[in-house]
Structure formats: C-alpha cells, structure tokens
Amino acid sequence: MENFDADVIIVGGGLVGSALALALKQTSLTVMLIEGSPPAWDWPLESWDQRIYAISRASRQLLQRICAWQQMDATRLQATSAMKIFGDANAASLQFNALEAGVDELAFMLENRELQKALWAGLADCSHIQMITPATPSLLHVDERAATLSLSDGRQLRARLVVGADGAHSWVRSQLGIVPQVTPYEQFGVVANFTIEKSHLGVAHQWFMPDGILAWLPLAGHRMSMVWSCNDAKRAELMALSPEALCQYVAAAGGALLGALQLITPAAAFPLRLNQLPHTVSDKVVLIGDAAHTVHPLAGQGVNLGFGDVAELAALLVQTPVNQIGDYLLLRRYERARSEAVYTMQSVCHGLQKLFNNTNPLLKTLRNLGLGATNQLPWLKRQLIRHAMDA
Ligand SMILES: Cc1cc2nc3c(=O)[nH]c(=O)nc-3n(C[C@H](O)[C@H](O)[C@H](O)COP(=O)(O)OP(=O)(O)OC[C@H]3O[C@@H](n4cnc5c(N)ncnc54)[C@H](O)[C@@H]3O)c2cc1C
C-alpha cells in the first residue's frame, strides 16, 4: 500500500489556492496547503484594502457553495447595478444595465483581504486539511507513483496530486519547465480608493482614453475604487502626486461625476502582462489561477477565471476514485474543459486593449462607432453581460 502525506498538495494560499482547498473540504480527500507568507488578519475597521475585485455571478455561486461568501461582512460588499463605458471620441458610450439584462446585479465589488480572511477561516479546524505556513518548496519531483515536494526546511511531502496556485510567477510552473508566452502591455494598473461626494448609485464607470483606461468601481458606502491602466510615464506622474493633487487629478479625469474625492488608500501600481501557457497540466501536477493564465484587468476577470478553474477541478476530483486523481488523462480533461473560457477571455481583453491603445485615426473612428453601435443592440448587450457573469 502506497504512503502519501496528503492526497492533494496545493502550493499557494491566495484566493484561488485557498478556494480550492475549501472546495475540497467537502470531500474525503486529505489536503495540504503550502503558503509562503501567511495573510495578516488584523486591520483597522475604518481602513480599506488596496486590492478590490469585481466578482462575477459564477464566482459568487462558487463562494456560496463553499460557505466563504456567507462569512464576509455584508456591509463591505457592493452590488454593481450598471456599467457606463466611454470611448475616446464623439461622446461614444456603451451602457450595461442589470435590470435590462434581467439580473439583480452585474457583479459584486469586494476587498481582497476580506475574501482571503473568509476563505482561510473556513479552512481552520478541519481535520483533513493542513495549513503549512510560512513554508516554501525547494524541489518538485514526480515519478510514476507520486509527486514529492521538498520544502526548504528539509521536509519531504508525497502526494497523489500537486496543484500550483502560486501566482503569475509560479514556482511550480518553473519546476515543470513550462515557459509562458509573455506579452507585456507596457502598462501598469494604478489602484487607489477614495471617498466620494455624490452617490455612485452602484454604477461603475470606465473611460477608454488616448493614454490608458480609467475605471471607477463602486465600493460600499460613499466610496469608490480606481484602476487606471496606463503607460509608465502616466504611472510615474500619478504616483508622484500628493494625496490632494491625486484626488483632483482623478476627479477631473472622470469629469467630476462623483464630485470631490478624498483618498482613503494610497495609490499602488502593478505591472500588467498577458501570460499564455502551452499547457497547464502534466502527470500529477496541475496549474490554476494566475499560475495558469493572466489577463488584462480592463474587464476585471482575472480572479474570476481562477475561480472557474477551482469549480471545474474540484468537480472533477470529486467524481474520481482517489487513486486516479493525479492521472495525466484526467488532468487533460480538466485542461480541455477550461481552455475555451481562458482563451476567450484573454483574447477579448487583449483585443480591446490593442484596439484602444492605438493612435491610428481610422481605428479611432471605428472603435468609437463600434461602442455606439453595440449600445443600440440590447440582445448583444444581454449576451455580453451573461458571458461576463458566467465566465
Ligand atoms: C491592477 C489589477 C486589478 C485587478 N482587478 C481584478 C478584478 O477586478 N477582478 C478580478 O477577477 N481580477 C482582478 N485582477 C487579477 C487578480 O488580482 C488575480 O487574477 C488574482 O489575484 C490571482 O489569484 P491567485 O490566487 O491565482 O494568485 P495570487 O493572488 O498571486 O496568489 C498566489 C499565492 O501563492 C503564494 N506563493 C507564491 N509563490 C509561492 C511559493 N513558491 N511557495 C509558497 N507560496 C507561494 C503567494 O504568497 C500568494 O499567496 C486584477 C489584477 C491587477 C494587477
């Protein structure tokens, strides 16, 4: 009889890795979660996390099934009822409305750390899930019997399946020798949160501008979160502004739609790149979340794609006899099931980014005509909304 330390070892306890561990809590599989830096749990109640996510309907349903959604403070969640998108010429605009699409909301806005806390809380006091943190792996060895993970502290852990959920610079991926095709956008996502003078009414705004894409996302209460995808020069300019000057600059960029702004979390900048992988599985190892794919944040879909991976992989593992969960052919089934959703989302976001990050005057006319024309087609808008909600 084979000896395993766990059926599944997950490397990376970010949102995606911890969601998979929690999804597996409802099974009889034994799980180890290896995380390099344990999250901090204590923060002043009045503070807001820098990282804000738009969570799709499909992701919310997953989080409800694994009982993480119910653990979050409902007063810090914000439903998005509509989204207004503005082009960069001729007052072109496109609006998506939950009511018109026959749904309650387009997405929920929430803080990374609140969701992370809810996921980790769900993993505590579970006899068949072991959290190993802080810990970092140093070697991954796979043979026909097991995947063996050596940790830097000398421990060796044998499992039937190793899951790499260790983010865009995945260590697990590098151990497999998988080299992603990286397309740098030469852009940064500059994020900051503000209090606002006028109510946002649950509406998100996005402006495609000649020098970037600005998004204002509604946060609970009189607050909003900004994501400005911009080039390095604009990033440097934004990051150098004093809090007061940043508020005035951002308010002016959005036509003062929400009145005066006050900064509640300082600006931070994240480099943006598209990572596409030739494959995401090998014998006894699978990659999920940002380890398997990254996407431009203009549609706010990165973590939603990762939660889609979790839903698919957990469903497959539940149906599979435990001695087969690392089988290459089974993992290929998972890979095939996810490839279309990942490819579509990467292509759409990449295409939009390229279309608007372009000074060709003909393209400028066409893209703005396209926005306006789409706005006149309710059936197309309904399709787009449903795709974004269920991706
Ligand atoms: C500006 C910006 C805005 C975004 N907005 C949105 C949005 O609105 N909606 C959305 O869906 N997505 C958004 N995204 C994307 C989203 O942030 C990512 O898709 C998501 O965080 C990926 O989660 P993950 O768990 O796969 O990876 P990560 O969040 O990177 O987590 C990886 C975890 O693995 C751990 N780890 C790494 N290496 C090791 C190792 N060797 N050993 C042990 N542990 C390790 C890390 O400490 C971390 O906890 C945005 C991204 C950016 C840059």
Side-chain angles (χ1 to χ4, degrees):
M1 180 105 158
E2 281 284 344
N3 256 340
F4 294 98
D5 296 290
D7 296 319
V8 182
I9 294 180
I10 302 168
V11 182
L15 295 183
V16 174
S18 52
L20 178 66
L22 201 48
L24 298 181
K25 182 178 176 178
Q26 293 155 2
T27 72
S28 57
L29 294 171
T30 54
V31 178
M32 279 179 172
L33 184 68
I34 314 272
E35 168 55 48
S37 352
W41 297 139
D42 290 324
W43 49 80
L45 254 187
E46 66 281 5
S47 72
W48 282 73
D49 193 0
Q50 258 168 357
R51 301 301 303 268
I52 302 293
Y53 293 122
I55 295 295
S56 69
R57 173 168 68 181
S59 295
R60 175 168 52 84
Q61 287 167 346
L62 168 78
L63 295 168
Q64 283 169 334
R65 280 200 302 280
I66 63 178
C67 302
W69 190 263
Q70 299 82 328
Q71 296 301 317
M72 279 187 295
D73 178 351
T75 63
R76 298 180 83 102
L77 305 178
Q78 173 65 49
T80 305
S81 56
M83 176 155 197
K84 294 183 181 171
I85 301 172
F86 303 94
D88 58 349
N90 308 332
S93 71
L94 170 60
Q95 297 196 20
F96 294 107
N97 193 309
L99 218 60
E100 279 170 19
V103 294
D104 291 335
E105 65 281 312
L106 299 178
F108 271 96
M109 306 305 308
L110 54 78
E111 294 159 278
N112 173 67
R113 67 188 185 191
E114 285 282 326
L115 179 52
Q116 185 79 72
K117 187 175 176 180
L119 290 164
W120 275 56
L123 294 170
D125 68 42
C126 175
S127 60
H128 63 102
I129 298 184
Q130 204 181 329
M131 318 287 279
I132 305 187
T133 183
T136 45
S138 56
L139 189 72
L140 173 62
H141 174 76
V142 179
D143 59 31
E144 67 282 2
R145 290 162 178 270
T148 306
L149 199 66
S150 306
L151 302 187
S152 335
D153 63 11
R155 273 181 284 181
Q156 286 209 330
L157 304 171
R158 274 164 60 83
R160 298 175 195 274
L161 175 66
V162 166
V163 181
D166 49 348
H169 303 286
S170 172
W171 173 87
V172 175
R173 187 177 70 212
S174 67
Q175 290 290 296
L176 296 178
I178 300 177
V179 181
Q181 185 188 328
V182 181
T183 312
Y185 284 115
E186 287 161 1
Q187 279 191 334
F188 290 80
V190 178
V191 298
N193 297 332
F194 302 87
T195 55
I196 53 183
E197 190 183 6
K198 300 181 190 165
S199 171
H200 50 54
L201 303 171
V203 180
H205 295 89
Q206 190 167 44
W207 292 267
F208 285 90
M209 299 171 157
D211 56 356
I213 306 166
L214 171 64
W216 285 7
L217 308 167
L219 284 186
H222 266 59
R223 300 180 187 89
M224 70 103 167
S225 171
M226 170 194 88
V227 184
W228 200 328
S229 306
C230 57
N231 62 23
D232 192 33
K234 177 72 113 192
R235 174 201 63 82
E237 186 186 353
L238 291 171
M239 298 298 290
L241 292 173
S242 68
E244 297 72 29
L246 180 68
C247 290
Q248 284 171 12
Y249 195 103
V250 172
L257 267 181
L258 300 177
L261 307 180
Q262 280 195 330
L263 195 64
I264 48 175
T265 34
F270 300 88
L272 304 180
R273 58 173 65 88
L274 171 69
N275 275 5
Q276 290 171 300
L277 270 60
H279 51 101
T280 56
V281 303
S282 74
D283 191 31
K284 300 182 183 58
V285 188
V286 54
L287 302 173
I288 62 173
D290 273 20
H293 40 69
T294 61
V295 59
H296 194 285
L298 68 86
Q301 288 292 342
V303 84
N304 292 309
L305 273 184
F307 287 143
D309 298 346
V310 169
E312 190 72 42
L313 184 59
L316 198 61
L317 295 181
V318 168
Q319 304 161 10
T320 305
V322 66
N323 60 346
Q324 292 170 23
I325 60 171
D327 279 8
Y328 176 65
L329 289 180
L330 177 91
L331 299 177
R332 278 283 295 140
R333 257 175 66 196
Y334 157 79
E335 185 182 52
R336 276 196 300 275
R338 289 301 295 148
S339 62
E340 190 188 328
V342 171
Y343 179 77
T344 306
M345 193 54 74
Q346 287 184 321
S347 307
V348 168
C349 294
H350 186 65
L352 278 172
Q353 197 275 342
K354 288 281 159 228
L355 183 62
F356 278 89
N357 193 26
N358 194 309
T359 51
N360 181 318
L362 180 62
L363 267 187
K364 183 171 177 171
T365 307
L366 287 176
R367 68 196 175 212
N368 286 290
L369 282 175
L371 268 189
T374 307
N375 201 38
Q376 304 303 320
L377 298 171
W379 62 269
L380 177 59
K381 291 203 288 181
R382 273 196 297 275
Q383 295 301 319
L384 292 171
I385 289 176
R386 286 186 190 281
H387 188 78
M389 291 175 74
D390 296 328

